[in-house]
Amino acid sequence: MPNEAKNIDNTVGENFYLEAANNIIIARESIISIEETEELAAQEKILKLNEEIKDKEALIEPNQTIKPANEENLSSSHVYARYEDVDKDQLQRDLEEIKANLGPVGEEDYQHLLKLERWGRGATLSGFFLIYVATALEVSIGLSAFGFWTLGIIAAILIGVGNVARWANVAHPILHGAYDKVPNIPKQYTKAGFARGKRRYIDWLDWIKPEAWEYEHNIMHHYHLGEDDDPDNVEQNLQWLIQSRVPMFLRYVIVYTFAAFWKPVYYAPNTLRILENKKRRKKRLPEITEYQISPFSENGKELWKNFYLPYGIVKFVLLPLLFLPLGTSAVLSAFIIMLMAEVYANLHSFLVIVPNHSADDIYQFSEPHKSQGEFYLRQIMGSVNYNTGSDLIDFSQGFLNYQIEHHLFPNTPQSYQQKMQPLVKEVCKKHNIEYRQESVFKRIGMTIDLMVGKTKVLRVDGI
């Protein structure tokens, strides 16, 4: 009889976990395509289900204890409020009041987006024009190698800037649904219409498939910031290097090289992996933990077919062939300049994206948040801003210099983030929460130190 009772308890526990896990997955997936209020409702459902699991675990394992907050990494000179002491409900009210007072998204915000889009398109077109000028002058008057490659390098930088701008300043906010509520907004500027199907070639053609990045970024990164499930957890992703016996100087070389190719090497296969795992969870299949890059593997075939080849053929074959009327040497020169532009785009995007949540003063968490106020607190503690200023300064950093404001309210336009920043700073000051804002160049140095294992992130365990 005791064994039978134990088996019954185990069966009940297993069934509960399966049902709870399924409900969590359904709630999490429902966030992808619905508006802000429903997103928050879905998150609350996830939180309640997590609490139910904990309650059940307490009944099944009565001797289980909760690990207290780990403050080993906290500085003795820390003057900010402790995580557990922050009034999270009041923090939520204060932050949501800021957003409410800004009013609805409108035409002015849409026009701001169009301006940023024009700047990015202008940089790209200017780069191609310079390639034409350089190759035409080389053919007609025998332009010197120095003169040619001076123009070529400028062209590569301009094309690279346009590449980063298209991702950070245009695709990023649109795929968060930032402009969906603008009256009479064209469908191509909405989350449901941007880069869908064949429009990928018009709206945002990159190494990354838009649908894969949207799920990896909008859901897994934003709602799991600083957790083990965060796919952009830099320290966790670089454990293979941190735990290796590679000399420190060589680790830096590896990181710098990685930065020059990080979109095809990391973002493309990682976003595919995350999207595939979404499907596998629904089917109760084991999740993929490693990249499958070989075109002869199942996921590798998908990676090459829908990620690498569409971008690679257009960028490095069709576009250089546009210069064929100037001769085959012009095609080769255009190809080399396009490669240079790609390296620059990778370095530029690495510079402004990776340091947002990675350094020895950034916090990570061992458990999911339990309330919306706690969610807001984690976005502040787990993010850092860069120096801000005019639209041009913000454009050059892809508006990722407003990372705290963006993570608090991800589906708001970039023009909102500019207005919210001083108000969010005041709320942080009121609650005695550190608001980090420093030069992007200082932050990239701190991030690389983390990536090579020279430093570690701060951790709040058991919370």
Side-chain angles (χ1 to χ4, degrees):
M1 288 298 292
N3 289 334
E4 292 179 2
K6 183 176 181 180
N7 290 333
I8 292 173
D9 286 342
N10 289 337
T11 301
V12 171
E14 290 175 1
N15 291 336
F16 174 80
Y17 283 122
L18 287 173
E19 182 180 357
N22 184 55
N23 289 336
I24 289 175
I25 291 169
I26 293 172
R28 182 172 288 140
E29 306 308 333
S30 70
I31 300 173
I32 298 176
S33 59
I34 50 182
E35 302 295 344
E36 177 189 3
T37 53
E38 292 173 321
E39 288 179 354
L40 296 178
Q43 280 299 312
E44 289 301 322
K45 183 177 181 181
I46 293 172
L47 299 177
K48 290 178 181 178
L49 289 167
N50 283 328
E51 288 301 311
E52 290 177 10
I53 290 175
K54 288 182 180 179
D55 292 342
K56 189 69 177 180
E57 287 175 340
L59 293 175
I60 296 174
E61 303 178 40
N63 294 327
Q64 183 180 6
T65 58
I66 299 175
K67 187 177 180 180
N70 177 10
E71 299 184 8
E72 292 179 0
N73 292 323
L74 297 182
S75 170
S76 58
S77 61
H78 180 68
V79 296
Y80 295 99
R82 296 189 305 168
Y83 184 93
E84 54 267 38
D85 292 339
V86 174
D87 187 339
K88 300 170 186 64
D89 292 335
Q90 185 60 48
L91 177 65
Q92 177 182 348
R93 288 191 290 270
D94 291 341
L95 290 171
E96 291 179 352
E97 182 180 3
I98 291 174
K99 184 182 178 183
N101 289 338
L102 289 176
V105 180
E107 183 66 21
E108 180 182 355
D109 304 297
Y110 173 51
Q111 291 301 323
H112 183 263
L113 170 68
L114 293 182
K115 180 176 72 172
L116 300 178
E117 182 181 47
R118 287 194 298 270
W119 287 0
R121 293 290 197 200
T124 300
L125 293 175
S126 297
F128 280 106
F129 178 71
L130 278 183
I131 295 177
Y132 172 78
V133 170
T135 52
L137 289 176
E138 184 181 39
V139 171
S140 61
I141 65 172
L143 182 65
S144 68
F146 176 80
F148 179 87
W149 287 112
T150 297
L151 292 177
I153 291 172
I154 296 173
I157 292 173
L158 286 169
I159 293 172
V161 167
N163 182 306
V164 176
R166 196 67 195 168
W167 181 11
N169 291 306
V170 180
H172 186 196
I174 291 177
L175 288 178
H176 271 293
Y179 302 92
D180 283 6
K181 295 181 181 179
V182 174
N184 303 315
I185 186 80
K187 187 176 181 180
Q188 65 264 32
Y189 291 101
T190 67
K191 184 177 180 180
F194 183 83
R196 301 299 179 185
K198 293 181 180 179
R199 284 208 63 90
R200 176 187 178 189
Y201 293 87
I202 301 171
D203 295 335
W204 182 39
L205 180 63
D206 210 319
W207 295 109
I208 314 160
K209 191 175 181 181
E211 295 90 335
W213 181 74
E214 181 184 353
Y215 179 74
E216 184 267 357
H217 178 77
N218 291 14
I219 305 305
M220 298 308 296
H221 171 61
H222 268 268
Y223 289 100
H224 298 280
L225 179 66
E227 300 174 12
D228 290 339
D229 287 339
D230 182 356
D232 296 330
N233 188 323
V234 171
E235 185 181 57
Q236 181 174 274
N237 292 343
L238 268 292
Q239 283 302 307
W240 64 269
L241 180 61
I242 294 171
Q243 298 296 331
S244 71
R245 296 183 179 180
V246 175
M248 187 60 69
F249 81 91
L250 190 54
R251 295 187 189 188
Y252 281 101
V253 173
I254 291 172
V255 170
Y256 295 144
T257 304
F258 168 74
F261 304 100
W262 81 300
K263 283 199 286 183
V265 171
Y266 164 74
Y267 245 125
N270 194 48
T271 51
L272 174 60
R273 182 182 68 85
I274 297 298
L275 188 61
E276 176 64 21
N277 283 339
K278 170 190 171 184
K279 301 173 185 176
R280 285 174 169 265
R281 283 196 299 272
K282 288 182 178 180
K283 297 178 181 179
R284 299 293 187 271
L285 296 174
E287 295 190 13
I288 299 172
T289 58
E290 297 181 353
Y291 301 155
Q292 294 181 3
I293 296 180
S294 169
F296 302 105
S297 63
E298 183 178 353
N299 276 343
K301 182 179 179 180
E302 168 71 10
L303 181 67
W304 281 87
K305 179 182 178 181
N306 291 317
F307 289 68
Y308 287 162
L309 289 180
Y311 181 70
I313 290 174
V314 171
K315 191 71 174 284
F316 303 113
V317 178
L318 297 182
L319 289 177
L321 282 175
L322 292 177
F323 297 89
L324 187 58
L326 296 174
T328 55
S329 62
V331 174
L332 178 59
S333 296
F335 172 74
I336 295 173
I337 293 172
M338 295 302 289
L339 287 177
M340 293 164 56
E342 187 62 35
V343 170
Y344 175 84
N346 276 267
L347 291 172
H348 189 156
S349 59
F350 186 90
L351 169 68
V352 297
I353 293 174
V354 179
N356 279 149
H357 312 286
S358 311
D360 59 358
D361 59 349
I362 296 294
Y363 286 82
Q364 292 187 359
F365 314 93
S366 61
E367 295 183 8
H369 59 275
K370 302 177 181 63
S371 69
Q372 192 61 33
E374 186 174 27
F375 171 82
Y376 289 145
L377 177 59
R378 291 188 177 193
Q379 307 317 299
I380 298 170
M381 295 179 69
S383 306
V384 63
N385 281 11
Y386 314 138
N387 295 332
T388 55
S390 64
D391 274 348
L392 185 59
I393 291 174
D394 298 340
F395 170 86
S396 68
Q397 299 177 89
F399 273 77
L400 296 162
N401 48 341
Y402 295 95
Q403 193 67 186
I404 293 173
E405 289 73 24
H406 170 64
H407 262 260
L408 289 172
F409 302 109
N411 59 352
T412 55
Q414 292 166 324
S415 51
Y416 266 42
Q417 295 162 23
Q418 292 175 319
K419 299 172 185 176
M420 285 193 293
Q421 188 195 24
L423 303 175
V424 171
K425 277 186 176 181
E426 286 301 314
V427 169
C428 289
K429 183 177 180 181
K430 171 184 175 182
H431 290 269
N432 198 22
I433 303 170
E434 184 175 11
Y435 183 100
R436 299 175 188 82
Q437 183 174 20
E438 294 179 303
S439 163
V440 65
F441 298 106
K442 177 180 178 180
R443 298 305 303 191
I444 191 64
M446 296 172 69
T447 294
I448 291 175
D449 283 345
L450 178 70
M451 296 177 79
V452 300
K454 204 171 184 179
T455 60
K456 293 183 179 181
V457 296
L458 297 171
R459 301 184 183 277
V460 184
D461 291 331
I463 292 180

